[in-house]
Amino acid sequence: MHLFTLVRAGIVILAGAVVLGTSAAGAPASNSNRSDDGSKTLTFDVQFSPFELVRSSATPDPNTGLGLGDQLIFHDLLFVKGLQVGDEGGSCVIVDAGQALANCVHTIRLAGGTITAQFLNSPPPLKQLAITGGSGSYRRVAGDGTLLEHGDGTGTETLHLFGVRD
């Protein structure tokens, strides 16, 4: 279904409403690997949340059920080795209802700070992310990433970052 796949971009992903438990706060931010060039790769298991569709259009596309300007709002949980280490929240605005194409922005919240990203979201399960900024340990971050939906309400998010401060 186009709606289910569209929101899985979590992507992505603006101010989250859940306060992380003490076990998550003390946990490592993610599976991470630092390279000689100062880059760092973070990998998370994602548990997607149900999304909220906020209608803007009175005339949705008959094939997708979406209208130009409709928004999809989401809040997803991030895990490493079964332990919750963060969350992400965001929104996607439908820019082409016939293709179920949306422009998405999201914020990833980790113990060391936040990472922001944006992407064009469409039905295929692999999403390409552009890292747009961050705060705390990630305040000078840049890079890119991917979000892969597994089709069962879970996914894998991998971020390739430059400028991370430990």
Side-chain angles (χ1 to χ4, degrees):
M1 179 176 202
H2 290 294
L3 284 175
F4 177 77
T5 303
L6 182 64
V7 281
R8 296 304 44 135
I11 348 220
V12 293
I13 280 170
L14 293 179
V18 173
V19 174
L20 299 177
T22 57
S23 63
S30 66
N31 281 345
S32 66
N33 299 316
R34 185 173 293 277
S35 300
D36 291 339
D37 65 0
S39 65
K40 188 173 190 178
T41 299
L42 307 178
T43 303
F44 306 101
D45 296 318
V46 181
Q47 179 182 330
F48 298 117
S49 65
F51 64 90
E52 182 70 31
L53 175 63
V54 179
R55 293 236 178 249
S56 295
S57 175
T59 56
D61 183 277
N63 295 317
T64 64
L66 299 170
L68 186 64
D70 287 352
Q71 291 188 54
L72 303 168
I73 312 298
F74 58 91
H75 177 241
D76 304 327
L77 303 179
L78 303 175
F79 295 85
V80 172
K81 297 179 182 175
L83 182 65
Q84 184 182 348
V85 297
D87 61 346
E88 60 187 10
S91 61
C92 301
V93 177
I94 302 301
V95 296
D96 185 325
Q99 294 183 47
L101 182 65
N103 181 45
C104 301
V105 295
H106 74 281
T107 300
I108 300 163
R109 180 170 54 176
L110 304 169
T114 62
I115 300 169
T116 59
Q118 104 180 56
F119 56 98
L120 272 180
N121 188 16
S122 61
L126 183 63
K127 317 301 180 190
Q128 301 293 324
L129 311 175
I131 305 302
T132 57
S135 69
S137 297
Y138 308 102
R139 72 176 181 206
R140 294 186 179 144
V141 78
D144 61 11
T146 58
L147 177 66
L148 178 61
E149 302 168 359
H150 300 308
D152 62 357
T154 68
T156 302
E157 190 164 25
T158 303
L159 305 176
H160 306 286
L161 306 173
F162 296 93
V164 178
R165 299 178 66 151
D166 289 325

